[in-house]
Amino acid sequence: MLKAIRTLFLGACAIGVLPGLAAHAGDLEDLAPYKMLRSLQYIQDSIVLGDHSAAEMQRFMLGAIDKRLRSAEPSVFDDPRNVDAAFIYAMSGGNPETLSYLADRDVEGNFDNRIVDALSHYLAGKGGLMVENLEKAIAEYRNARIGPYLYLVLGNGSAQQDPAASLKYYDWARLTAPGTNIEEAALRRSIALATRGHMPDKGFAHSLSYARRFLTSPYASQFADVFVELAVANYGELTEGKIQEILGFMDKPRQREVYLRIARRAAIAGMQELATLASERAQSLSDVADAGPKTLANLYSGLAGVPSQDILEAVKGISAIPDAELSPRDRALRQAATVVASEVLRAPDPDSLTQASVPNISPATTEGQGEPETGSGESPFAAAPSAAVSETQTKKTQQQVAASEASPPDPVLDAFLSTGRSKLDEIDSLLKGEDEK
């Protein structure tokens, strides 16, 4: 397998696909690390711009750069470009132990210990510990080659402690590296922060930029999730035009997917009008042969009708959907809605003033958690690839990378059942009051 990848790599170099390597395709061992790093950057930028086939090449390049850095003579790092290459490699999914290895062997002071310490904490999943020190050093690297990467790292590390500062760091990252994987990540994470920080104007502005540039990114599905969260939280007459403008950059399948996700989230949140509207729009974007999306639209519109006067028709409609047409997540959601409806409709027990009994529902499991939010399994947004890292990368760093790219959690049962139980509590209070009279 490795031999085949190497052959493909050398062939790509020969026709000039990977700039900077063609002249040295037969002798990678002697190539300057910064030249190899350029090719890695080219590959990673190509991936977020839609060339998903480059993922295998990315893995190969990470391994090749790791080998070159570890075998390089200390004098190689007298060139600042090679030092920067080592830092960028570590921040681009490379082996963090390699950076520590190089820093320990550095007797000439080529590696800035402040940056080494900051990245060591960050890559070990302890980003909050490095924020203060990196903030003091970042001004010196504002216009350096590693500047955009450091700003992205600093934004990630400060996101929980200081979201406003994190947004500023993301702004610097994307403005100093336009059209790259750095801008893609900074935009996507800025949308999430703006949503959580109740800054809809920023959120919609960043969403528009993302939709114009990175809809073919393998992480676009995560963008769709945070955009749906933003749209649902701020839906109204003032934001309808902004949502339509952003959706205008998507083809019909992607628009339909976004509306399905909006319908699902709105149904869970008890936003009946929005859930119905989004379901209708998803149906209007479905062709006759699109049975899956139509089924989901019917499910979500039916869920929206559970708290209404048409509860019987709603339950009848969602119960008629075959299990085979729903994902495990959506089957669990339908089950939760059915339980809530049955509890609401159940006649009071004459021996008790309370109706709040333990629902007959299985606890939520992790089954299906890796599926798209709609549970359709047919999302037109590409699924994010696994982190392309070398085999020697530590387990902690793999967890840190996965956590940084994780989608928002699915609130399937907890949110829906919580809403249903609160309604039952209100009914119980009214019944108790009537009895006391």
Side-chain angles (χ1 to χ4, degrees):
M1 178 65 180
L2 182 59
K3 183 177 180 181
I5 295 175
R6 181 181 176 85
T7 301
L8 176 62
F9 172 75
L10 297 180
C13 292
I15 62 174
V17 173
L18 302 178
L21 287 186
H24 304 272
D27 197 4
L28 293 177
E29 290 77 9
D30 295 332
L31 198 61
Y34 78 87
K35 293 182 179 179
M36 298 178 71
L37 193 280
R38 287 176 183 171
S39 295
L40 176 63
Q41 291 173 312
Y42 176 84
I43 292 169
Q44 292 182 330
D45 293 343
S46 298
I47 290 174
V48 298
L49 293 174
D51 185 6
H52 303 164
S53 64
E56 286 298 325
M57 188 67 73
Q58 178 182 215
R59 293 185 180 90
F60 172 80
M61 280 305 304
L62 285 167
I65 294 174
D66 184 72
K67 182 179 179 180
R68 179 68 183 97
L69 289 172
R70 284 178 172 268
S71 64
E73 295 295 328
S75 60
V76 169
F77 299 101
D78 291 340
D79 187 339
R81 294 175 296 182
N82 291 326
V83 176
D84 288 345
F87 282 134
I88 294 173
Y89 161 77
M91 291 183 280
S92 300
N95 182 4
E97 292 182 355
T98 297
L99 180 60
S100 299
Y101 172 80
L102 296 175
D104 290 342
R105 296 178 66 219
D106 178 31
V107 296
E108 300 295 333
N110 292 320
F111 286 81
D112 189 333
N113 287 331
R114 299 171 300 173
I115 305 302
V116 172
D117 291 342
L119 293 183
S120 296
H121 280 102
Y122 175 76
L123 295 172
K126 302 176 182 177
L129 299 179
M130 61 84 186
V131 171
E132 183 177 356
N133 290 334
L134 187 55
E135 284 178 333
K136 295 177 181 178
I138 194 69
E140 300 176 29
Y141 292 93
R142 177 167 293 174
N143 298 314
R145 285 177 289 267
I146 65 173
Y149 293 86
L150 291 178
Y151 275 112
L152 183 64
V153 165
L154 191 52
N156 293 342
S158 60
Q160 296 297 325
Q161 302 168 337
D162 191 349
S166 180
L167 281 172
K168 292 181 181 179
Y169 296 138
Y170 286 148
D171 286 345
W172 270 105
R174 64 187 182 82
L175 292 174
T176 53
T180 66
N181 65 324
I182 297 296
E183 184 189 16
E184 189 274 343
L187 272 175
R188 178 163 37 85
R189 296 170 187 178
S190 293
I191 298 167
L193 276 182
T195 302
R196 291 197 295 269
H198 306 290
M199 295 177 279
D201 289 341
K202 282 183 176 291
F204 284 118
H206 291 323
S207 296
L208 180 60
S209 296
Y210 194 100
R212 293 175 65 181
R213 303 183 189 188
F214 298 110
L215 279 181
T216 55
S217 164
Y219 299 108
S221 184
Q222 295 174 16
F223 156 72
D225 282 338
V226 293
F227 172 65
V228 165
E229 184 178 352
L230 173 71
V232 171
N234 300 279
Y235 196 86
E237 293 183 4
L238 297 178
T239 58
E240 172 70 16
K242 295 179 181 180
I243 294 173
Q244 292 300 321
E245 181 181 11
I246 294 166
L247 291 176
F249 287 93
M250 303 181 188
D251 55 20
K252 285 179 60 176
R254 286 185 174 87
Q255 288 186 42
R256 182 183 62 206
E257 180 78 2
V258 168
Y259 276 125
L260 284 172
R261 297 188 188 197
I262 289 176
R264 187 179 197 275
R265 191 168 290 247
I268 292 172
M271 303 170 67
Q272 180 182 354
E273 183 178 348
L274 177 57
T276 302
L277 175 63
S279 297
E280 290 174 351
R281 289 186 177 176
Q283 286 180 323
S284 68
L285 291 167
S286 301
D287 297 329
V288 176
D290 296 329
K294 284 187 175 181
T295 297
L296 292 174
N298 290 333
L299 172 65
Y300 301 145
S301 61
L303 293 174
V306 168
S308 69
Q309 295 179 347
D310 298 326
I311 184 171
L312 291 175
E313 287 298 320
V315 172
K316 182 179 178 181
I318 63 176
S319 299
I321 300 175
D323 285 349
E325 297 183 12
L326 300 176
S327 69
R329 283 175 135 184
D330 285 329
R331 286 199 295 270
L333 181 57
R334 181 177 64 176
Q335 184 186 10
T338 303
V339 169
V340 170
S342 64
E343 290 294 305
V344 171
L345 294 171
R346 185 164 59 88
D349 187 342
D351 296 327
S352 173
L353 291 177
T354 179
Q355 292 177 293
S357 58
V358 179
N360 182 22
I361 186 169
S362 303
T365 67
T366 57
E367 181 184 11
Q369 292 300 304
E371 301 170 357
E373 174 121 356
T374 62
S376 66
E378 301 174 352
S379 173
F381 294 101
S386 58
V389 293
S390 60
E391 294 181 358
T392 56
Q393 186 170 11
T394 62
K395 184 176 180 181
K396 283 186 177 181
T397 304
Q398 291 173 336
Q399 294 172 343
Q400 182 271 328
V401 172
S404 69
E405 298 293 351
S407 298
D410 180 40
V412 177
L413 295 182
D414 291 343
F416 206 99
L417 285 176
S418 176
T419 302
R421 286 170 180 155
S422 66
K423 293 180 183 295
L424 296 176
D425 289 341
E426 293 174 5
I427 295 172
D428 294 337
S429 298
L430 290 173
L431 291 173
K432 187 175 181 180
E434 289 294 329
D435 186 76
E436 290 176 349
K437 290 179 181 180

